[in-house]
Amino acid sequence: MGRYLLRRLAIAIPILFGVSAIAFFMLHTAGGDPAVLKLGARATPEALAKLRHEMGLDRPLLVQYADFLAGAVRGNLGLSYRSNTPVTQEVLSRFPATIELAVTAMALALLVGGPLGILAAMRRRSVVDYLSSVGVLIGISVPTFWLGMIFIIVFGLWLGWLPISGRINPRLGADPSTPFLTVAAVWQGNWVVAADAARHLILPALTLAAWPAAIVARMTRASLIEAMGQDYIRTARGKGLSQGAVLMRHAFRNALLPVLTAIGLEFGTLLGGAVVTETIFSWPGLGQLTVAAISARDYQIVQGVVLLLAVVFLTLNLLVDLLYAALDPRIRYA
Amino acid sequence: MSAPVRDRAADAVSLAAPDRPRRRWRAARRFARDPGAVAGALLLLFLAMVAVAGPALVRDPIAQNIPDRLQPPSATYWFGTDELGRDIFARVVGGAPISLASGLASVIIGLALGTLMGAVAGYREGRLGLALMGAVDLLLALPAILLAITIAARVGAGLPAAMVAAGLVGLPAYARLARASTLSVKRREMIDAARALGASDAAILRRHILPNILTPLIVQATIGVGSAILLVAALGFLGLGAQPPTPEWGRMLSDAQRYITNAPWIGIFPGLAITLTVLGFNLAGDGLREALDPTATS
């Protein structure tokens, strides 16, 4: 296992270099002069040239990339063109809000998608199965940004049940940039803030959960049906085990691997999907930061977000692979 | 390659699949018996008709009529009007060819490049193959929307940028599928036969490997159109895709956000149009996959 882990890490490093190169060269050749962005369109050519020199933008692109890499390995991703604050600080301060949203959405997706997939597999070709298939198809066909708008119209505006933007009611005095606000408030015993933060979380999390819930339901159903057709299930039934015991003790454990892969991959997709969801619900996370940075052409920030999410994505894939070995004793690495 | 050699190699391919027409007929019958697949195909047929004939039958989708701004749905304006008094029904119909064409163009970009990379990587397994698949894996190291944002930022906001971005995001799926299928096809005797008859690598790839790996790629592409339409719309929504006043559905939803409290209809209909289109491609794609591979778990 140790050797396998080392091998996987050795593969991840060149991929990260590749991602950093893609992000750097694409964004630094995208047009839009950072010096103009800082000084404004009316700045004199001399002032612009001076600032470009100070920012190192007059050096060859390859030298700039080498400089960026040297800083990146020490955790320094440069300064934001817009706010002049360190990119690492700005990106990391927004990350917990995105993680809170993504983890809640994935939990909802598992709570809905898992049981739905199991039910559909147990009652194959029944009404439940057909209804679940329709639900899955709708889940993967609805655009996230439209679903979010519909939720806002129905639950926020018509019914008035839930708040439609932000992380917390500003009147409560809680800091909206607190990492994991809901959990932190529960931890501190501040139930008013916890309840309000949870209410703010529901609509964006539901919006973000629709796609992964559909994927989890589809994968669970397909894997369970395949597992139920295996010889060991016939043996389990033959020795008189109940349907529930056969399902949970034998079929489900074996069906879990592909579902786990889907969950790992979908969590990465979920972090990406948060870009759109956060925009709709004014959720102060990485997505909102990215969209604002793009419209301001602050590509230092976009680059920082791309790198951070690539690291998270690769780590998740590695974790899923390692979990394989833990769940399936037949798999032996190294 | 000389003509006789080409003909003999083609014979080798046809000998390898003597019952291909019968298999296709069976697949067509299975597709026709699947209610979901038929519903998807009909939905796509309807959307294609709207895209082709619709724009000529409705009002000008970019004509402004300020006195009639923010009108709710009525007999005059079936889907209501937007903040500039434009007819939303006309804009939804006018957006159909844009969204369908952008989804199809994205898939063609991803399919063509991905198939080429995957087929070459599978055919030449050495360093070239490793380098090609390494490049493909790089594209997989990022969530799709973030990769699309980076590409669209580089190309410059606009519909072509969104199409290229959505195409490149879909590329890895086609490349991996093409590589896996090529690895299996290239070990068949017909490839040895073609090589023995003097066929070049390019000719073998074009005439013998490509026709034999296309089926799974086409199934993947059908499902991929839905995802591409969603991605192009998402980029439009984020302001990186189609620019005003183009009646692109994602862009319309982005503009609708500001009027969500007093004119929700501005956003409801374009979103419904995206959902139905993507649903059509997903239903038809699933049906096609099951018709061509009935052993797949459904």
Side-chain angles (χ1 to χ4, degrees):
Chain A
M1 180 74 99
R3 267 174 59 194
Y4 174 75
L5 188 65
L6 278 177
R7 206 166 61 224
R8 283 298 306 263
L9 283 174
I11 295 171
I13 290 166
I15 290 181
L16 269 180
F17 272 115
V19 170
S20 72
I22 289 179
F24 185 91
F25 289 107
M26 279 201 169
L27 296 171
H28 281 76
T29 53
D33 187 342
V36 176
L37 191 76
K38 275 193 168 178
L39 297 180
R42 290 183 183 176
T44 61
E46 293 76 29
L48 287 173
K50 188 167 172 273
L51 185 62
R52 274 190 210 112
H53 181 69
E54 280 169 16
M55 291 169 82
L57 296 170
D58 54 352
R59 295 172 306 161
L61 209 55
L62 265 177
V63 177
Q64 290 184 49
Y65 177 60
D67 199 32
F68 164 73
L69 273 187
V73 291
R74 286 176 307 211
N76 175 12
L77 297 172
L79 297 176
S80 155
Y81 290 154
R82 204 171 31 147
S83 63
N84 231 17
T85 49
V87 171
T88 317
Q89 185 189 320
E90 209 159 322
V91 168
L92 288 181
S93 72
R94 296 290 196 106
F95 192 44
T98 299
I99 287 284
E100 184 182 29
L101 179 59
V103 168
T104 312
M106 186 47 92
L108 284 173
L110 292 177
L111 275 174
V112 176
L116 203 64
I118 295 174
L119 261 179
M122 282 171 67
R123 309 237 185 284
R124 207 177 167 191
R125 300 192 206 289
S126 69
V127 178
V128 178
D129 189 17
Y130 286 121
L131 283 179
S132 127
S133 297
V134 171
V136 165
L137 266 166
I138 292 173
I140 58 171
S141 304
V142 173
T144 314
F145 40 98
W146 185 60
L147 188 65
M149 283 173 80
I150 297 294
F151 281 164
I152 287 176
I153 293 169
V154 176
F155 297 105
L157 302 174
W158 290 353
L159 299 171
W161 288 352
L162 292 162
I164 57 173
S165 76
R167 250 181 123 190
I168 189 82
N169 185 341
R171 284 186 206 154
L172 294 176
D175 179 6
S177 63
T178 310
F180 306 104
L181 186 54
T182 314
V183 180
V186 170
W187 186 257
Q188 290 158 1
N190 192 342
W191 299 107
V192 179
V193 169
D196 189 70
R199 277 164 47 81
H200 277 80
L201 190 56
I202 292 174
L203 287 186
L206 274 178
T207 305
L208 199 53
W211 171 279
I215 300 289
V216 168
R218 180 179 258 193
M219 284 302 295
T220 308
R221 177 185 180 274
S223 317
L224 257 184
I225 287 174
E226 199 177 329
M228 294 292 267
Q230 302 293 319
D231 285 345
Y232 56 78
I233 296 294
R234 205 177 311 141
T235 310
R237 282 205 178 115
K239 71 182 186 186
L241 283 184
S242 69
Q243 172 76 354
V246 170
L247 190 80
M248 296 317 291
R249 216 179 296 162
H250 296 277
F252 192 67
R253 280 188 65 170
N254 286 290
L256 209 59
L257 284 186
V259 178
L260 196 71
T261 312
I263 293 170
L265 287 175
E266 285 313 311
F267 195 77
T269 312
L270 241 166
L271 288 172
V275 172
V276 176
T277 311
E278 287 179 5
T279 311
I280 307 163
F281 291 96
S282 308
W283 188 262
L286 280 182
Q288 206 194 32
L289 179 73
T290 312
V291 173
I294 288 169
S295 46
R297 290 184 176 267
D298 189 353
Y299 294 139
Q300 294 280 88
I301 292 283
V302 182
Q303 188 176 268
V305 174
V306 167
L307 273 183
L308 175 69
L309 288 190
V311 171
V312 174
F313 213 46
L314 288 171
T315 312
L316 277 171
N317 283 339
L318 182 62
L319 280 178
V320 167
D321 278 3
L322 295 178
L323 267 175
Y324 269 20
L327 281 172
D328 189 342
R330 287 170 305 181
I331 299 174
R332 288 279 178 266
Y333 294 114
Chain B
M1 198 202 308
S2 66
V5 171
R6 191 167 62 225
D7 291 342
R8 269 177 281 169
D11 286 347
V13 175
S14 61
L15 280 172
D19 59 346
R20 191 174 280 171
R22 205 183 308 156
R23 277 210 315 262
R24 280 192 185 147
W25 173 241
R26 269 193 225 129
R29 272 191 7 211
R30 272 195 295 269
F31 187 89
R33 276 200 222 116
D34 179 348
V38 173
L42 287 175
L43 196 54
L44 291 183
L45 188 68
F46 170 71
L47 286 165
M49 280 160 54
V50 169
V52 173
L57 303 172
V58 296
R59 293 187 182 95
D60 181 357
I62 56 173
Q64 299 180 15
N65 184 12
I66 301 293
D68 278 353
R69 66 192 297 268
L70 300 178
Q71 293 286 315
S74 64
T76 316
Y77 297 110
W78 292 356
F79 291 175
T81 61
D82 66 8
E83 73 279 12
L84 297 171
R86 294 175 296 197
D87 182 358
I88 293 171
F89 179 70
R91 287 179 70 72
V92 169
V93 171
I98 295 171
S99 287
L100 284 177
S102 57
L104 287 170
S106 305
V107 164
I108 289 169
I109 293 170
L111 181 67
L113 287 175
T115 305
L116 183 69
M117 288 173 82
V120 171
Y123 189 67
R124 288 277 191 90
E125 283 177 78
R127 278 187 197 160
L128 178 65
L130 274 177
L132 284 171
M133 292 320 282
V136 167
D137 283 347
L138 266 185
L139 295 177
L140 283 173
L142 274 177
I145 184 84
L146 217 59
L147 179 63
I149 285 175
T150 312
I151 297 169
R154 170 66 190 88
V155 184
L159 202 54
M163 288 192 280
V164 170
L168 292 182
V169 164
L171 184 153
Y174 304 113
R176 287 188 154 197
L177 203 55
R179 181 177 172 271
S181 307
T182 305
L183 282 173
S184 139
V185 171
K186 81 169 189 182
R187 291 191 171 85
R188 290 195 200 157
E189 281 177 9
M190 62 174 186
I191 302 298
D192 292 336
R195 202 174 289 137
L197 290 168
S200 67
D201 285 348
I204 291 176
L205 272 170
R206 198 171 62 244
R207 296 215 175 88
H208 308 302
I209 290 189
L210 204 59
N212 282 289
I213 63 171
L214 265 185
T215 305
L217 286 164
I218 288 170
V219 173
Q220 176 72 30
T222 313
I223 298 167
V225 179
S227 311
I229 288 175
L230 279 179
L231 201 52
V232 170
L235 288 173
F237 182 78
L238 294 173
L240 287 165
Q243 298 299 305
T246 312
E248 193 269 328
W249 294 337
R251 179 76 216 189
M252 288 166 73
L253 280 173
S254 173
D255 296 339
Q257 271 192 111
R258 277 171 287 156
Y259 302 93
I260 198 168
T261 48
N262 54 342
W265 57 85
I266 301 181
I268 287 176
F269 296 106
L272 205 57
I274 300 175
T275 306
L276 286 176
T277 310
V278 178
L279 191 65
F281 279 106
N282 283 338
L283 280 169
D286 278 355
L288 205 57
R289 186 179 50 199
E290 280 168 32
L292 291 167
D293 180 15
T295 54
T297 313
S298 59

